[in-house]
Amino acid sequence: MTATAESEVGKARLRKEDARLITGQTRWTDNLQLTGMLHMAVLRSPVAHARITNVDVSRATAMPGVALVLTGEDFAAEQGSLPCAWPITEDMKSPAAPAIAVDQVNFAGEAVAVVIADSAYHAADALEAIDVDYEDLPVVLDMEEALRDNDLVHPDLGTNKCATWVFDSAEAGSGTNVEDEIAAAEVVLERTFKQQRLIPAFMEPRSVVVDVTAGMYTVWSATQIPHILRWMLSAVTGISEHKLRVIAPDVGGGFGGKLQVTPEELLCLLIARRMGRPVKWTESRTESMLSAHHGRDQIQKITMAARRDGTVTGLKVELLADMGAYLRLVTPGVPILGAFMFNSIYKFAGYRFVCTNVFTNKVPTDAYRGAGRPEATFAIERMMDELAVELGMEPMKLREMNWIKHEEFPFTTVAGLTYDSGNYEAATARAMELFGYDELREEQARRRAGGDVVQLGIGISTYTEMCGLAPSRVLGALRYGAGGWETASIRMLPTGKVEVITGTSPHGQGHETVWSQIVADRLGVPFEDVEVLHGDTATSHKGMDSYGSRSLAVGGTALVHAADKVLAKAKTLAAHMMECDEADVEFASGSFSVRGTSTARTLGDVVLAAHVAHDLPEGMEPGMDADATFDPDNFSYPHGTHLCATEVDTETGLVKISRYVAVDDVGTVVNPLIVDGQVHGGLAQGIAQALYEEATHDEMGTLTTATFADYLVPSAADLPAFLTDRTTTPATSNPLGAKGVGEAGTIASTPAVVNAVLDAVRHLGVRDIDMPMSPERVWTALQGREDTGAGEVAAGGLGSIDAQGGQA
Amino acid sequence: MIPADFRYLFPSSVDEAVRMLAEEGEDAKIIAGGQSLVPVLRMRLAAPTALIDIGGLTELTGVRDDGDSLLIGAMTTHYEVQRDHLVQDHALLLRLVTDTIADPQIRHRGTFGGSLCHADPAGDLLAPALALDAVMIIAGPGGRREVPAAEFFVDYFTTALAPDEILIDVRVPKYTGWRAHYEKLNRVAQAWSIVAVAATVQVRDGVISAARVGLTNVGSGPVRAVDVEAALVGQPTSAISEAARLASSGDGYKDNLARVLTGRALTAAVG
């Protein structure tokens, strides 16, 4: 076995996944073809709230190739309710969540009938022949209106209020009473921000195939969570868990959008059980936008108390969070993940967070990249700029005087979290230098003085976030339904090759590459000799999957522990083989040697000896495999400083980002190339919220942004060349020192952009502009006119489209 | 993509295509590059009974010199228009507009004639076709006929083309030596224009001797800014900012863009 000369950790390796993905040598769920496979198409409600008075499937049933047409009635006895794993309060209202509507639809896009046919074409054709009669009910779309309970989404619940969740630093003992801080404050600012609804827009549409053979159910799904899905499908259907196998093959992106137990997964399973034949469903893009869960959608009322010298003293957060029509897997908990982050890196004396979750007749919301934390970061970073304006202070100086100093770590915040490490001064200094902060401020002053058509603005976001989800005891305290540990196994094969099994479920992140680097480094084996197995509950029998920037900090740590177990056992055997005391054995570069001698055995020699088991120490089991499960005792806290310069064309309202600097501290980096990729993609998604993306509905509740012609996802052509750099303050909560990077860019960037745009036009009398800051919104604000809330004039595009005919 | 069922036909001549169109009746559609029709099929917003693919008609591709004008084959792709020397020399505005259409993949598939026939008022080629006094040459059961752009674009997604007719060529008068610019405002690169202005001007000795200005996406079809054109003739280039105000009289956002972008398009053209 060859020893690796240079350290794998820290090496910018190209991803081992890429060749097969780029050349199509892979298997997406939709590529699967099974003998006798049937295809499901879903008829979706075109109306947002109605009673179903009749469904006539007779014409559809007679169409060519159609095997069966089923309605909600047909599933009523067996479909149960889709799971919500996060009942945030004792008294949370939780409506039954059928996979297919039985007698009432509660959002436009909800399934009302399915066709099962011999081809996807025949199934889609037959959808058009199903006649559904709807009796309209009042549509509830606006959260504030919903809370008046005049019209109810779920009349049986008696209210549109789902739950109220409170954190109060005085009650928790982590700080003072915020009302006292507000009463005593020299300055009190109150602002309301709107977090628009977003669509996760993963690249690969969702797809499910279910096979049933000899009583064994195999579910392939484009999911982030094969392990959780297996558990939940078993719980909902009553199919024994050991008779269910879930496979997530290559999955093309998720961003939280595939952290779900979907109606279609359940329906395919029930249909396969009913028919005894394999069933496939693959959605179209429009179907995805109409029915897969959305993200964000909050109204944030923020009150900040401060002294005239700039010291912040109190923060009160009152949120309304739109649940949509049902509670999906973690819907009610998403805003709660933000509860601990509004105070961010600043030292507030008093803090209170009150979140009211509200039902509306819209697609359910759930996790979307950052999940609760981008919303919190946006609010606090906007408020810091508002306070700087109010006090006439330099916004970075104001932040600096309030943030936790590097020598104060570990620091327990007013929200009760203990930040283990960080250095905000270092990240900020590096960002200011890269950005040319002072020069840009001078340029800004020149343009203001000259009354230039294109004004310059500078936006700051000094963020932190919590990731590495999550300590199981914390999840328990938050009433979450599962743990936050992660698991890994290492199988040492007799030829010295290594199989790694992980409970994380990559869907674009590059775990195969990074996990290989960690193992190669730890065991001194070549990178190429490591194969990473994941996403199949038959090979990876337990795991908590991938979301919340957890995979490396939690799953990578489990892997390190498993590798250490292999080494510990190998060392004992090596000592036995070399007939020396174990204390004299050294391990380096994949080889065990006796200290001070030339006697050595490679790891491969030792593994083979363990495998043949001809001569093992007394009591040692044959083989050299190891399992480890790691439950973190704290979150990890990436942080950083993002600086954005925007040019705002005051005649057209167009915003252009002229410079973007991101200096992130994500702890120890295993693969810098992958980290850069995560940051770039994260920035694109955060910038998209600031400038481009918004899911909108008409007054009837129809989604008017159900295609990529109407829902504007930016491409590289729309984004600046990002200047990225890092500072490294290792996490102390795991041996890798890794903090997580999957969400940082998204969390940090949105307020940096919005602050920059406002900074460019504030001197022209603009106080705020809703996101996304479209040219029309910016121009309207510059005219001193009211934003009608209509957003951008539809320009071309496909506009509002008929929700019926899901496979369109 | 799961469209409704259709018959697929592949004619080998324009006459055969016209015959097929007559035989298949009103629910048949011509498919050219498919960059507008395919999304419509995909979403089942239309379900034609037959698609007549004119992609094999090489006689409809390419740009020819025809004396005082250019003849641009309807099946010439945007990419081919971008790279054509005749277009560069005699209809610079068309090349500059085409440079901004969607993305490289679409420009390799989408066609000049297809865009005009789709008649999306947000489409980029309508305004320059109108401003340049292009003439559509149309084949039908009764033979050939010519329709000027000003009569061709009737309404949103509606042209003077009868259901049994095919656009085969577009005649564009030569604007040799004219300067040009296309000023386009869109939210992301692949999005349609909110408003765009296509301008081309002839400048002699610092005086504007002729101007053509077309506006994209300000109405149900392309709009020619005739008042702006008239106000510029015989004027020095310094008259542009005043003339551009005539592009629209309203106070809405798009009216503002029409004025601002007209000024910018003309300024960039003469610059």
Side-chain angles (χ1 to χ4, degrees), chain A residues 11 15 20 165 186 243 288 439 534 571 607 713 730 771 774 781 799:
Chain A
K11 197 168 174 179
R15 306 196 320 166
R20 75 167 191 273
W165 193 94
E186 293 168 2
K243 294 293 180 188
S288 187
E439 293 81 356
H534 57 78
K571 193 176 183 184
V607 167
V713 177
M771 296 188 291
S774 68

Side-chain angles (χ1 to χ4, degrees), chain A residues 120-121 124-125 128 286 649 651-652 691-692 707 709 712-713 718 774-775 779 785 792-793 795-798 801 808, chain B residues 1-4 42-44 120 122 185-190 192-194 217 251-254 256-257 260-261 264:
Chain A
Y121 294 88
D125 290 345
E128 294 168 14
T286 289
D649 185 331
E651 289 182 345
T652 65
L691 298 180
Y692 304 118
T707 74
L712 298 181
V713 177
D718 306 302
S774 68
W779 182 82
R785 298 183 192 176
E792 196 58 72
V793 173
L798 297 164
I801 68 135
Chain B
M1 145 155 175
I2 320 259
R42 183 183 77 74
M43 304 183 75
R44 297 197 175 205
D120 181 341
L185 190 88
N186 55 1
R187 289 187 59 193
V188 294
Q190 80 275 17
W192 280 268
S193 303
I194 301 170
N217 207 20
D251 73 344
Y253 179 57
K254 283 194 169 192
N256 167 68
L257 285 184
V260 169
L261 301 183
R264 290 183 184 183

Side-chain angles (χ1 to χ4, degrees), chain A residues 246-267:
Chain A
V246 176
I247 302 173
D250 275 320
V251 175
F255 310 119
K258 291 174 182 167
L259 167 48
Q260 195 53 270
V261 177
T262 69
E264 295 81 7
E265 286 164 335
L266 182 60
L267 290 171

Side-chain angles (χ1 to χ4, degrees), chain B residues 88-99:
Chain B
Q88 171 75 27
D89 293 345
H90 304 296
L92 178 62
L93 178 62
L94 273 187
R95 202 217 81 203
L96 297 174
V97 168
T98 306
D99 285 348

Side-chain angles (χ1 to χ4, degrees), chain B residues 11 17-18 21 28-32 37 50-54 75 163 165-166:
Chain B
V18 169
L21 201 48
K29 285 286 280 184
I30 296 287
I31 183 163
L37 182 56
L51 287 187
I52 301 165
D53 182 356
I54 56 172
M75 286 299 291
E165 290 183 319
I166 303 172

Side-chain angles (χ1 to χ4, degrees), chain A residues 321-515:
Chain A
D322 193 339
M323 302 288 98
Y326 297 105
L327 303 179
R328 295 288 194 239
L329 192 62
V330 297
T331 300
V334 168
I336 309 311
L337 278 174
F340 307 97
M341 284 285 112
F342 277 89
N343 53 300
S344 188
I345 64 172
Y346 310 111
K347 293 180 279 188
F348 287 93
Y351 174 55
R352 183 176 169 84
F353 170 96
V354 183
C355 179
T356 304
N357 287 350
V358 186
F359 291 113
T360 62
N361 290 115
K362 285 182 256 177
V363 180
T365 57
D366 207 312
Y368 174 54
R369 204 169 189 175
R373 292 156 290 161
E375 297 93 317
T377 303
F378 179 87
I380 186 65
E381 289 303 296
R382 282 284 296 109
M383 288 306 284
M384 293 309 279
D385 261 30
E386 291 292 307
L387 182 62
V389 169
E390 176 71 22
L391 298 175
M393 287 182 71
E394 215 291 322
M396 189 62 92
K397 289 210 172 64
L398 176 74
R399 285 171 169 83
E400 186 169 10
M401 70 179 284
N402 283 294
W403 73 43
I404 301 156
K405 305 289 180 288
H406 69 272
E407 64 271 18
E408 293 178 282
F409 288 91
F411 186 92
T412 299
T413 75
V414 74
L417 294 178
T418 299
Y419 296 173
D420 60 333
S421 69
N423 190 331
Y424 310 138
E425 295 90 334
T428 299
R430 182 69 186 128
M432 300 276 272
E433 181 192 339
L434 276 174
F435 191 66
Y437 188 88
D438 295 334
E439 293 81 356
L440 280 167
R441 283 282 181 216
E442 286 164 20
E443 168 69 19
Q444 177 182 43
R446 273 197 297 278
R447 292 199 197 186
R448 277 188 192 170
D452 287 16
V453 168
V454 178
Q455 289 289 318
L456 184 69
I458 294 170
I460 299 170
S461 173
T462 49
Y463 77 100
T464 190
E465 56 148 333
M466 53 191 268
C467 51
L469 305 184
S472 297
R473 63 178 169 79
V474 176
L475 294 180
L478 292 172
R479 303 176 53 85
Y480 182 63
W485 47 263
E486 195 45 85
T487 194
S489 301
I490 293 179
R491 297 178 186 156
M492 301 302 297
L493 304 177
T495 56
K497 309 293 182 190
V498 186
E499 277 179 349
V500 169
I501 297 136
T502 178
T504 65
S505 196
H507 42 282
Q509 292 88 345
H511 294 180
E512 291 173 31
T513 302
V514 171
W515 276 214

